[in-house]
Amino acid sequence: MKRTKVVDAFDASLYGTKVNVKGWVRTRRGNKNVNFIAVNDGSTIKNIQVVVDLSKFSEAEMKPITTGACISVIGTLVESQGKGQQAEIQADSIELYGGADPDVYPLQKKGHTLEFLREIAHLRPRTNTFGAVLRIRHNMAYAIHKYFNDRGFFYLNTPLITGSDCEGAGAMFQVTTLDLNQVPKTEDGAVDYSEDFFGKPTSLTVSGQLEGELGAMSLGAIYTFGPTFRAENSNTPRHLAEFWMVEPEVAFNEIGENMDLAEDFLKYLIRYALDHCQDDLEFLCQMYDKELIDRLKFVVDNDFVRLPYTEGVKILEESGHKFEYPVYWGADLQSEHERFLVEEHFKKPVILTDYPKEIKAFYMKMNDDGKTVRAMDVLFPRIGEIIGGSQREENYDKLLARIEELHIPMKDMWWYLDTRRFGTAPHSGFGLGFERLLLFVTGMTNIRDVIPFPRTPKNAEF
Amino acid sequence: MKRTKVVDAFDASLYGTKVNVKGWVRTRRGNKNVNFIAVNDGSTIKNIQVVVDLSKFSEAEMKPITTGACISVIGTLVESQGKGQQAEIQADSIELYGGADPDVYPLQKKGHTLEFLREIAHLRPRTNTFGAVLRIRHNMAYAIHKYFNDRGFFYLNTPLITGSDCEGAGAMFQVTTLDLNQVPKTEDGAVDYSEDFFGKPTSLTVSGQLEGELGAMSLGAIYTFGPTFRAENSNTPRHLAEFWMVEPEVAFNEIGENMDLAEDFLKYLIRYALDHCQDDLEFLCQMYDKELIDRLKFVVDNDFVRLPYTEGVKILEESGHKFEYPVYWGADLQSEHERFLVEEHFKKPVILTDYPKEIKAFYMKMNDDGKTVRAMDVLFPRIGEIIGGSQREENYDKLLARIEELHIPMKDMWWYLDTRRFGTAPHSGFGLGFERLLLFVTGMTNIRDVIPFPRTPKNAEF
């Protein structure tokens, strides 16, 4: 008999028919005549209620049907009499696939702390919370691909193992096949990388942007979406050693079109979540963050404010607000400053532009003032910076001068510079931290709770 | 003025209107009165022809417009008089974004070998061949996400940095933040991994399957799609150190349903390519592989043969064909054997099942014969194995026995075994090497030519 997924079982046109539902027992309750088993198969946050007339089933059959057990139920789908339920199954037969010993199964029906659930990350997708988060994660990933595909962008898989650390965006993990017990050395005592797999030191990428620019300067519009790494020893609710990043890059786009793209993209994603993840969002809203759905609608419904950094700093300085970190022209803004602008001053998402060149990367296009660059950060309520991007310096001589000024090793940069030597053009792009987006969309507060298997200092379990 | 992409310019409803096209010069030819510039912007393999009345432009303006230069053209879009062209632009003005010195720009209009183009992987997406391949790569990636999303699968991002090497699927890259010049040692002379980032040895994953099974046993149906690594020192046209893998995993699916999924999935992808990549496929067909499109249609139009390994070996033994590698029951089949079955014997794609347990992984479900496991390999013309999968052993005791038999370190496996301890159920899945698929769909013969920046022994450029 063909299986019906739980998500498809709440369909009035099926009432009165026989269905076969398979899934995991969330709860079992009842009295000596009738039992109610809530079954979930991961396809939706909703459980289907299975009604069991105990006169038809033996005690031996019913005993292993405890929380966490996996069963296959055949029965008649009917409209439920109980309130809140839309459909239930009157069981004809129940097959047990696998039990879950109540003495040791860690996910009993009682609520668990998020900290505890992190220790059993291999089981936590069976909870309502992580089922909801992971379904939303899927939907956001799909929406990202759909957005770009529908607009003629090409997905470009930039390499994860890299021989260059050009951007200097963060500490890197080394990738090697050398035996750490006996590292081969050259005559002068240095590590002999000629014996390493790639014949030179290699690391895990901190960004696909530079390769992404190569793609934009040939295919026109590309995006990357893949894992990215930072070996920073920071144990905070906002940092992961392995996280996913989305980086579109578009030839011929200048900073204004880059802002248009970022705003349209974020609104599309959030609208997609509101349209496609209603049940999961309502659950998270109810359990974790009462303002979640209002906050999502707030972003979709408001134009983002666009403001030069210099004006933003002025507003912060004149606000009279006491900040933990000082604000002055030239300072790298902290989350508290960004959130003040968004949540207190404008009460709208803000795109801050034209940052001092000293606090931004070498490849950003210099403004005519010689002091600021065409950078843009999109600031969101509760999160602060959710997107960072810029128009890129397309002039070969200016880019080279900046590289030399900052002592970036040229030997690593020849291929990047070639895009400016041969058919250069204005182009722009940005990076969206996928887990940052998910924090915003799910209302979760710890980044370890929006990725299936988090990697953090001293933690690479599962 | 709003830019028109080249792909949108072949639209008869725009004829007679002013358009602004931006892109890179592929060729320039003509006489002293009129010049024809072929412009490509990466949105399509087609160039748009720009017609330049030289009486309207100065020599200084025209001089830098050489192959590889980037220009912005404003003019009137008209139906072309020349044969083969559908539309052309009569130029009013041309702006030069960036030249490409003909003395040094490596991509002159002459054809280049694929070997040479690999050395300039940062520029090769500007060629017809790699533009076509990378657009097809995008379309196949999108089709993968669309296929699974439309069928209720969730995209699960399994970790790339892993602390376990359970599957033993291949040599691994070590990931470390230890200083290789001075590796810290414990008192007994071993590497002191307590000082490493994760506090233990870690590697780059060779497969997301084991974590994927955790996802299937909670969310019901998942797929992974991400980078995977093998540190094998093999310099062949079929191997990469970093490649992309697709791994669906479905709770309650048995081997037959797994075969149905694999066949339907592959046919969907290939049909998608035929429907969405017509221009690029026609180019590759013409330039590299005359039978390409026929071969794609052949797969879509034929039911896959399903055959036990034992019968496959019998056919090979009785074929009278001389193989380089011997064939006997228990042998791991080579590409020549697989291709014989597909291309010579059945003349259809073949799914081979029920392999000897000795040549397959520990987690595959044992058949009742005690000798074979519920493995399945999908064999394709020209490629051999394109998919490998299995029904998984869901019985805790049987799986444990197999782990002990093969001396797989148990300490790494507790979380995997937990899926069998708590609510176990039948489940199945498979892996598709994304670049293998692309070799088949593009007709390219070297795997380095279907990924933007290949990673192979002694090569991590760009």
Side-chain angles (χ1 to χ4, degrees):
Chain A
M1 186 174 179
K2 202 174 140 46
R3 171 186 164 217
T4 301
K5 285 189 176 185
V6 173
V7 71
D8 299 324
F10 301 95
D11 173 354
S13 75
L14 294 176
Y15 291 169
T17 67
K18 293 280 178 204
V19 295
N20 179 196
V21 162
K22 303 178 180 187
W24 291 269
V25 173
R26 284 294 175 82
T27 57
R28 178 181 153 195
R29 60 191 177 76
N31 55 39
K32 66 183 160 106
N33 299 317
V34 62
N35 268 198
F36 303 97
I37 307 171
V39 174
N40 187 286
D41 66 2
S43 63
T44 163
I45 197 159
K46 290 194 253 180
N47 303 327
I48 185 99
Q49 176 159 278
V50 176
V51 184
V52 185
D53 176 350
L54 290 181
S55 69
K56 295 192 201 160
F57 294 84
S58 73
E59 236 185 274
E61 269 181 298
M62 292 303 293
K63 187 158 181 279
I65 299 178
T66 57
T67 297
C70 189
I71 58 175
S72 170
V73 179
I74 293 175
T76 307
L77 190 74
V78 298
E79 191 172 2
S80 176
Q81 305 307 313
K83 56 181 173 184
Q85 304 280 345
Q86 299 150 288
E88 62 188 30
I89 298 170
Q90 290 170 339
D92 295 334
S93 71
I94 303 178
E95 182 188 349
L96 178 76
Y97 283 130
D101 182 349
D103 292 337
V104 286
Y105 184 59
L107 285 176
Q108 298 305 322
K109 57 186 159 183
K110 268 204 290 186
H112 304 280
T113 65
L114 295 172
E115 289 75 15
F116 171 72
L117 291 174
R118 267 172 232 146
E119 288 167 27
I120 52 166
H122 64 309
L123 295 175
R124 68 179 181 170
R126 295 187 186 185
T127 63
N128 281 330
T129 297
F130 288 93
V133 166
L134 292 176
R135 281 185 295 271
I136 292 172
R137 188 177 168 108
H138 161 77
N139 276 283
M140 290 296 88
Y142 186 68
I144 288 165
H145 287 293
K146 185 167 167 51
Y147 180 86
F148 287 124
N149 180 71
D150 290 353
R151 284 154 188 80
F153 287 63
F154 301 109
Y155 184 36
L156 188 80
N157 295 137
T158 53
L160 274 74
I161 297 176
T162 174
S164 41
D165 170 20
C166 304
E167 207 186 340
M172 296 175 92
F173 289 103
Q174 185 162 3
V175 174
T176 183
T177 53
L178 295 178
D179 179 357
L180 266 55
N181 285 296
Q182 284 183 297
V183 175
K185 298 278 169 85
T186 59
E187 278 181 17
D188 56 355
V191 177
D192 184 3
Y193 281 109
S194 72
E195 293 196 23
D196 208 350
F197 189 89
F198 295 107
K200 64 177 181 178
T202 49
S203 315
L204 290 175
T205 187
V206 294
S207 162
Q209 181 201 311
L210 302 193
E211 290 91 353
E213 288 186 50
L214 304 179
M217 298 304 280
S218 49
L219 299 168
I222 64 90
Y223 68 108
T224 74
F225 182 13
T228 315
F229 304 87
R230 300 278 157 92
E232 270 150 37
N233 200 358
S234 41
N235 248 316
T236 83
R238 289 163 56 95
H239 290 90
L240 290 169
E242 175 180 326
F243 57 99
W244 284 62
M245 189 108 107
V246 186
E247 296 179 289
E249 188 77 31
V250 189
F252 313 115
N253 266 11
E254 308 214 8
I255 188 74
E257 291 151 322
N258 205 30
M259 288 193 266
D260 294 344
L261 180 68
E263 179 169 349
D264 186 59
F265 177 52
L266 286 169
K267 285 179 171 173
Y268 177 90
L269 296 180
I270 293 166
R271 201 178 300 118
Y272 192 96
L274 289 166
D275 290 346
H276 292 80
C277 309
Q278 204 183 341
D279 291 343
D280 290 323
L281 286 176
E282 276 170 10
F283 172 81
L284 294 171
C285 195
Q286 195 182 328
M287 295 295 289
Y288 292 98
D289 182 351
K290 298 275 181 281
E291 292 162 18
L292 174 62
I293 292 177
D294 287 343
R295 200 181 306 116
L296 299 181
K297 289 183 176 161
F298 165 84
V299 168
V300 170
D301 292 341
N302 278 289
D303 286 339
F304 295 7
V305 173
R306 298 180 184 191
L307 189 78
Y309 166 93
T310 303
E311 287 181 39
V313 167
K314 210 169 152 202
I315 290 169
L316 291 167
E317 283 175 332
E318 290 172 359
S319 70
H321 189 90
K322 267 214 143 175
F323 295 108
E324 195 183 336
Y325 292 88
V327 180
Y328 54 91
W329 197 95
D332 211 353
L333 298 187
Q334 302 296 320
S335 186
E336 57 170 340
H337 308 132
E338 297 169 341
R339 293 182 60 180
F340 180 86
L341 289 173
V342 172
E343 295 169 20
E344 308 289 325
H345 187 83
F346 288 107
K347 301 191 195 305
K348 283 182 185 178
V350 173
I351 309 182
L352 223 53
T353 60
D354 303 300
Y355 282 74
K357 65 176 181 182
E358 287 77 12
I359 58 172
K360 289 291 179 185
F362 74 92
Y363 49 71
M364 296 189 180
K365 187 176 172 71
M366 191 78 72
N367 282 314
D368 291 338
D369 62 15
K371 295 194 305 190
T372 61
V373 290
R374 287 196 195 165
M376 54 169 241
D377 283 2
V378 182
L379 313 180
F380 257 32
R382 206 163 153 279
I383 300 285
E385 180 196 330
I386 193 163
I387 274 180
S390 70
Q391 184 170 343
R392 320 307 187 184
E393 182 57 73
E394 85 268 23
N395 182 287
Y396 180 82
D397 294 323
K398 289 184 189 168
L399 181 63
L400 188 60
R402 198 82 181 108
I403 285 172
E404 286 171 352
E405 199 178 328
L406 296 171
H407 305 295
I408 295 168
M410 274 297 299
K411 71 169 175 47
D412 293 339
M413 300 299 294
W414 67 274
W415 49 269
Y416 184 66
L417 282 167
D418 266 5
T419 55
R420 276 65 169 177
R421 284 173 76 201
F422 304 127
T424 191
H427 60 288
S428 301
F430 59 79
L432 167 71
F434 187 47
E435 284 78 16
R436 285 275 172 90
L437 171 75
L438 289 172
L439 284 176
F440 185 74
V441 173
T442 63
M444 304 301 282
T445 54
N446 192 314
I447 201 161
R448 293 160 209 223
D449 296 332
V450 295
I451 191 167
F453 305 99
R455 294 316 186 220
T456 52
K458 305 295 173 208
N459 174 36
E461 276 298 325
F462 314 108
Chain B
M1 185 170 180
K2 203 172 139 42
R3 169 186 165 219
T4 300
K5 285 189 178 187
V6 173
V7 71
D8 299 324
F10 300 96
D11 174 354
S13 75
L14 293 177
Y15 291 169
T17 66
K18 294 278 178 205
V19 295
N20 179 195
V21 161
K22 303 178 181 186
W24 291 270
V25 174
R26 284 294 173 83
T27 58
R28 180 183 153 194
R29 59 190 177 79
N31 54 39
K32 65 184 163 120
N33 298 318
V34 62
N35 269 198
F36 303 96
I37 307 170
V39 174
N40 187 286
D41 66 1
S43 63
T44 164
I45 198 159
K46 290 193 252 180
N47 302 325
I48 185 101
Q49 175 160 280
V50 177
V51 183
V52 184
D53 176 350
L54 290 181
S55 69
K56 295 191 199 160
F57 294 84
S58 73
E59 236 185 276
E61 267 181 300
M62 292 304 292
K63 186 157 182 281
I65 299 177
T66 57
T67 296
C70 190
I71 58 175
S72 170
V73 178
I74 294 176
T76 307
L77 190 74
V78 297
E79 194 172 0
S80 176
Q81 305 307 316
K83 56 183 174 183
Q85 305 281 344
Q86 300 150 290
E88 62 188 30
I89 298 171
Q90 291 169 337
D92 297 332
S93 71
I94 302 178
E95 183 188 349
L96 177 78
Y97 283 131
D101 182 349
D103 292 338
V104 286
Y105 183 59
L107 285 175
Q108 298 305 322
K109 54 187 160 181
K110 270 203 287 186
H112 304 280
T113 66
L114 295 172
E115 289 74 16
F116 170 73
L117 292 174
R118 266 170 233 147
E119 287 167 28
I120 51 166
H122 64 309
L123 294 175
R124 65 179 182 171
R126 295 187 185 184
T127 63
N128 281 330
T129 298
F130 287 93
V133 167
L134 292 176
R135 280 185 297 270
I136 292 172
R137 188 177 167 109
H138 161 77
N139 275 283
M140 289 296 87
Y142 186 67
I144 287 165
H145 287 293
K146 183 166 167 53
Y147 179 87
F148 287 124
N149 181 70
D150 290 353
R151 284 152 187 80
F153 286 63
F154 302 108
Y155 185 36
L156 189 79
N157 296 137
T158 52
L160 273 74
I161 297 175
T162 173
S164 40
D165 170 22
C166 303
E167 206 186 339
M172 296 175 91
F173 288 103
Q174 185 162 3
V175 174
T176 183
T177 53
L178 295 178
D179 180 356
L180 265 56
N181 285 296
Q182 285 181 298
V183 175
K185 298 281 171 83
T186 59
E187 278 180 18
D188 55 358
V191 177
D192 184 3
Y193 282 109
S194 71
E195 292 195 23
D196 207 350
F197 190 90
F198 295 108
K200 64 176 180 180
T202 49
S203 316
L204 289 176
T205 187
V206 294
S207 162
Q209 181 201 312
L210 302 192
E211 290 91 352
E213 287 187 51
L214 303 178
M217 298 303 280
S218 49
L219 300 168
I222 63 90
Y223 68 107
T224 73
F225 183 12
T228 315
F229 305 86
R230 299 280 157 90
E232 270 149 38
N233 200 358
S234 39
N235 249 316
T236 85
R238 289 163 56 94
H239 290 89
L240 290 168
E242 175 180 327
F243 56 99
W244 284 63
M245 189 110 106
V246 186
E247 296 180 289
E249 188 76 33
V250 189
F252 313 117
N253 266 11
E254 308 213 6
I255 188 74
E257 291 151 321
N258 205 32
M259 288 192 266
D260 294 343
L261 180 67
E263 180 169 347
D264 186 59
F265 177 53
L266 286 170
K267 286 180 170 172
Y268 176 91
L269 297 181
I270 293 166
R271 201 178 299 117
Y272 192 95
L274 289 166
D275 290 347
H276 292 80
C277 308
Q278 205 184 337
D279 292 344
D280 290 323
L281 286 175
E282 278 170 10
F283 172 81
L284 294 172
C285 196
Q286 194 183 327
M287 294 296 289
Y288 293 97
D289 181 352
K290 298 276 181 279
E291 291 163 17
L292 175 61
I293 291 177
D294 288 343
R295 200 181 306 116
L296 299 181
K297 288 182 178 161
F298 165 84
V299 167
V300 169
D301 292 340
N302 278 290
D303 285 341
F304 296 6
V305 173
R306 300 181 184 191
L307 187 78
Y309 166 93
T310 302
E311 286 180 41
V313 167
K314 211 170 150 198
I315 290 169
L316 291 168
E317 284 175 330
E318 291 173 359
S319 69
H321 189 90
K322 267 211 144 177
F323 295 107
E324 193 183 340
Y325 292 88
V327 180
Y328 53 90
W329 197 95
D332 210 352
L333 298 187
Q334 302 296 320
S335 187
E336 56 171 340
H337 308 134
E338 297 169 341
R339 292 182 61 180
F340 180 86
L341 289 173
V342 172
E343 295 169 19
E344 308 289 326
H345 188 84
F346 288 108
K347 300 191 194 304
K348 284 182 185 180
V350 173
I351 309 182
L352 223 53
T353 60
D354 304 300
Y355 282 74
K357 67 176 180 183
E358 287 78 12
I359 57 172
K360 289 290 179 185
F362 74 93
Y363 49 70
M364 297 190 180
K365 187 175 172 73
M366 191 79 72
N367 282 315
D368 291 339
D369 62 15
K371 295 194 302 188
T372 61
V373 290
R374 289 197 194 165
M376 54 169 241
D377 284 3
V378 182
L379 313 180
F380 257 32
R382 204 162 157 281
I383 300 287
E385 181 197 328
I386 193 164
I387 273 180
S390 71
Q391 183 169 344
R392 320 306 188 184
E393 182 56 75
E394 85 267 24
N395 181 287
Y396 180 82
D397 294 324
K398 288 184 190 169
L399 181 62
L400 189 58
R402 198 80 181 109
I403 285 172
E404 286 170 352
E405 201 177 328
L406 295 171
H407 306 294
I408 294 168
M410 274 300 298
K411 71 169 175 43
D412 293 339
M413 300 298 296
W414 65 274
W415 50 268
Y416 185 66
L417 282 167
D418 266 8
T419 54
R420 277 64 171 178
R421 285 172 74 201
F422 305 126
T424 192
H427 60 289
S428 301
F430 59 80
L432 167 70
F434 186 47
E435 285 78 18
R436 285 276 173 92
L437 172 75
L438 289 172
L439 284 177
F440 185 75
V441 174
T442 63
M444 304 301 282
T445 54
N446 192 315
I447 202 162
R448 294 161 209 221
D449 296 332
V450 295
I451 192 167
F453 305 98
R455 293 321 187 212
T456 53
K458 306 295 175 205
N459 173 36
E461 275 299 324
F462 313 109

